């Protein structure tokens, strides 16, 4: 809509309107009479513009604005996270990890009884009843989360004849726990044949028993534990082992007892590699 007036019209800064001014005449007559000519103002309401175009432009700008703010927030969060890691990682490694050699727990084999021991063409069959004591000497707390036992013949851990596992447990400083383990070795091919015992080893065990009425075994333990110190926590790997466990058989019997009870284990131990997460 065009609006004209004989008076000097000043464009109003009304929201929702777009102003267009008509060109100023360039002729001399027009220039002389310029002060006496009315100013023509063209007013076009934004309401006459395409509603869909305005809506598209508005929402596009709003989406761009939201996306820009989201990107800035993500960048800020990532930057803050990286800064915190750079600050806390050296502090954590210095204050919350052990700065001394790990102190192993104490493993003692109190007794072991072997029964139903037989060897032959079918393999080896036997049952071991073992009692152990595990003590935490001076660490705030130890969580034994994985603990597996293996009995092997003589001094070679590769010659395993039976395995057993314990349930996980905690030991606070100064506490101890008594474990009663049962190892069972069945005939080759049976469900209890864990692990497999080679034929040559079976024959060797049978000959040694017949020779002097005794057999020598060893026991090793695979331990995965978590140490809780005063201001630190660390994963620990241990491999307790004990050899020369001589079992003396009763005369004319297939059962025998450990000759040297209350044997203390040797325990290699080390911290697992440090991990921030």
């Amino acid at each position: 809509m065009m609006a004209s007036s004989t008076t000097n019209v000043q464009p109003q800064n009304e929201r929702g309107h777009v102003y267009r001014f008509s060109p100023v005449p360039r002729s001399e007559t027009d220039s002389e009479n310029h002060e006496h000519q009315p100013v023509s103002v063209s007013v076009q309401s934004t309401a006459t513009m395409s509603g869909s175009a305005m809506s598209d432009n508005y929402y596009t700008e709003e989406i761009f604005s939201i996306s820009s703010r989201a990107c800035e927030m993500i960048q800020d969060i990532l930057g803050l996270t990286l800064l915190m890691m750079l600050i806390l990682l050296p502090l954590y490694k210095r204050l919350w990890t052990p700065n001394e050699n790990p102190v192993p727990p104490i493993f003692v084999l109190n007794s072991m009884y072997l029964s139903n021991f037989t060897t032959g063409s079918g393999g080896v069959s036997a049952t071991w009843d073992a009692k152990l004591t595990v003590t935490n000497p001076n660490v705030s707390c130890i969580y034994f989360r994985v603990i597996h036992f293996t009995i092997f013949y003589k001094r070679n851990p590769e010659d395993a004849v039976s395995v057993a596992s314990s349930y996980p447990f905690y030991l606070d400083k100064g506490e101890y726990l008594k474990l009663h383990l049962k190892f069972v070795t069945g005939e080759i091919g049976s469900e209890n044949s864990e692990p497999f015992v080679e034929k040559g080893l079976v024959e060797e065990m049978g000959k040694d028993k017949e020779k002097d009425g005794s057999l020598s075994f060893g026991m090793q333990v695979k331990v995965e534990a978590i140490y809780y110190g005063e201001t630190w926590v660390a994963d620990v790997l241990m491999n307790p082992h004990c050899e020369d466990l001589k079992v003396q058989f009763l005369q004319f019997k297939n059962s025998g007892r450990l000759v040297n009870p209350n044997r203390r284990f040797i325990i290699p131990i080390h911290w697992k590699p440090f991990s921030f997460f």
Side-chain angles (χ1 to χ4, degrees):
M1 178 183 295
M2 301 295 296
S4 301
S5 174
T6 57
T7 60
N8 187 13
V9 178
Q10 297 293 332
Q12 300 297 315
N13 186 18
E14 297 180 6
R15 186 177 181 182
H17 292 79
V18 177
Y19 299 97
R20 291 188 177 87
F21 296 90
S22 61
V24 179
R26 295 300 180 184
S27 64
E28 293 181 358
T29 305
D30 291 337
S31 298
E32 293 175 356
N33 300 326
H34 179 264
E35 296 179 354
H36 304 287
Q37 294 294 328
V39 178
S40 176
V41 180
S42 174
V43 181
Q44 181 179 359
S45 174
T46 55
T48 62
M49 298 176 64
S50 172
S52 62
M54 284 190 61
S55 177
D56 291 343
N57 291 336
Y58 176 78
Y59 287 114
T60 301
E61 292 178 358
E62 185 177 12
I63 291 173
F64 284 156
S65 177
I66 294 175
S67 300
S68 177
R69 290 197 302 271
C71 290
E72 291 177 356
M73 291 179 62
I74 293 174
Q75 291 176 355
D76 292 342
I77 293 174
L78 291 177
L80 181 60
T81 302
L82 180 60
L83 179 62
M84 294 297 292
M85 289 180 63
L86 292 176
I87 295 175
L88 294 179
L89 180 58
L91 186 64
Y92 180 87
K93 294 182 69 174
R94 190 182 72 175
L95 297 180
W96 283 278
T97 55
N99 55 7
E100 59 185 11
N101 293 328
V103 179
I106 299 173
F107 278 72
V108 177
L109 178 61
N110 303 117
S111 63
M112 186 167 68
Y113 181 74
L114 177 59
S115 60
N116 303 320
F117 181 83
T118 58
T119 58
S121 59
V124 59
S125 177
T127 301
W128 285 265
D129 278 66
K131 294 181 179 180
L132 300 95
T133 302
V134 184
T135 305
N136 174 10
N138 55 7
V139 181
S140 295
C141 182
I142 304 176
Y143 173 52
F144 296 83
R145 60 189 185 92
V146 175
I147 181 166
H148 296 306
F149 297 83
T150 301
I151 291 180
F152 54 90
Y153 188 55
K154 291 185 176 178
R155 290 178 170 269
N156 187 4
E158 298 296 327
D159 294 334
V161 294
S162 191
V163 296
S165 297
S166 170
Y167 52 84
F169 57 89
Y170 285 91
L171 282 181
D172 289 332
K173 182 178 179 179
E175 289 186 341
Y176 66 90
L177 179 71
K178 291 187 176 293
L179 297 176
H180 185 188
L181 303 175
K182 187 174 183 179
F183 302 80
V184 178
T185 298
E187 293 183 355
I188 295 177
S190 69
E191 294 181 356
N192 296 326
S193 184
E194 289 288 344
F196 176 77
V197 181
E198 297 287 347
K199 181 179 179 181
L201 183 61
V202 173
E203 294 177 352
E204 182 181 353
M205 294 171 65
K207 292 177 180 180
D208 289 344
K209 178 179 177 297
E210 293 296 329
K211 182 178 179 179
D212 57 10
S214 65
L215 293 174
S216 180
F217 297 96
M219 183 181 296
Q220 68 176 359
V221 192
K222 177 185 177 182
V223 178
E224 295 180 13
I226 301 176
Y227 271 40
Y228 296 89
E230 296 296 336
T231 59
W232 51 267
V233 178
D235 289 334
V236 177
L237 298 178
M238 290 177 274
N239 187 27
H241 58 88
C242 187
E243 289 81 24
D244 296 326
L245 302 176
K246 185 178 179 180
V247 174
Q248 184 68 49
F249 288 87
L250 301 175
Q251 190 175 11
F252 308 116
K253 299 290 183 178
N254 290 327
S255 59
R257 294 183 181 275
L258 183 65
V259 174
N260 47 350
N262 298 319
R263 291 288 306 278
R264 186 162 174 168
F265 285 67
I266 298 172
I267 307 180
I269 180 174
H270 65 275
W271 307 121
K272 290 181 66 175
F274 171 79
S275 176
F276 184 70
F277 297 99

